């Protein structure tokens, strides 16, 4: 993705146009679900540590640039959570990295499981 964004012909207006277009699209097709066996733990961790930034139902807080988490694939969420925890996702929100650092593997799986089961908008 970086080489595309580095293109000097890609203006801020063009990036804004692409963002508005993407925001207008419905969630496409069925999204990948987790096993559905860890929803309880995922829900309580989410309410305790994530809802203040990502919204009570994972809808995100657009004005604060906090992304929506519902309607995303289980596999994608789990991979990103691992990359955020390890610090490999370079642009991660620092407060969020602090929250996720002490999380065990099972905690990340349960969060991704819970979020992937929420109804997509
Ligand atoms: C202090 C606010 C804050 C907290 C607390 C927080 N996040 Fe985030 N989160 C963000 C922001 C801002 C981004 C977008 C930038 C980035 O990737 O860091 C983000 C990005 C993400 C992404 C990547 C989304 C995508 O589309 O790629 C996931 C997944 C995520 N957060 C999950 C969580 C979970 C689960 C928790 C609770 C354990 C949590 N976050 C706590 C602010 C927060």
């Amino acid at each position: 993705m970086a080489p595309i964004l580095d293109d000097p012909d890609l203006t801020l207006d063009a990036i804004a146009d692409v963002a508005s277009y993407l925001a207008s699209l419905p969630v496409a097709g069925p999204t990948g679900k987790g096993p559905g066996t860890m929803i309880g733990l995922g829900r309580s961790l989410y309410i305790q540590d994530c809802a203040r930034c990502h919204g009570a139902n994972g809808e995100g807080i657009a004005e604060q640039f906090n992304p929506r988490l519902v309607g995303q694939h289980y596999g994608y969420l789990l991979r990103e959570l691992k990359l955020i925890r390890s610090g490999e996702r370079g642009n991660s929100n620092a407060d969020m990295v602090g929250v996720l650092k002490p999380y065990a593997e099972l905690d990340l799986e349960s969060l991704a499981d819970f979020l992937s089961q929420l109804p997509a908008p």
Side-chain angles (χ1 to χ4, degrees):
M1 188 158 62
I4 296 167
L5 291 174
D6 285 341
D7 183 341
D9 292 335
L10 189 63
T11 62
L12 273 179
D13 278 351
I15 292 172
D17 286 348
V18 172
S20 316
Y21 171 67
L22 290 174
S24 76
L25 294 175
V27 173
T31 51
K33 307 278 183 226
T37 52
M38 296 169 277
I39 296 173
L41 174 61
R43 180 185 294 113
S44 50
L45 290 172
Y46 183 81
I47 292 167
Q48 177 190 297
D49 284 338
C50 322
R52 67 186 162 101
C53 288
H54 289 286
N57 300 301
E59 70 277 23
I61 303 176
E63 311 80 61
Q64 295 174 20
F65 307 105
N66 297 349
R68 187 173 68 204
L69 301 178
V70 290
Q72 303 224 43
H73 297 287
Y74 171 78
Y76 174 78
L77 287 168
L78 185 55
R79 186 190 66 183
E80 294 311 301
L81 288 173
K82 288 179 182 176
L83 294 173
I84 292 167
R85 182 183 60 178
S86 70
E88 287 171 89
R89 186 171 151 135
N91 64 343
S92 290
N93 178 283
D95 290 343
M96 176 171 63
V97 176
V99 166
L100 280 165
K101 266 240 150 72
Y103 272 30
E105 208 70 7
L106 181 70
D107 298 329
L108 301 187
E109 287 169 17
S110 70
L111 276 164
D113 194 16
F114 165 65
L115 289 166
S116 73
Q117 308 290 338
L118 291 174

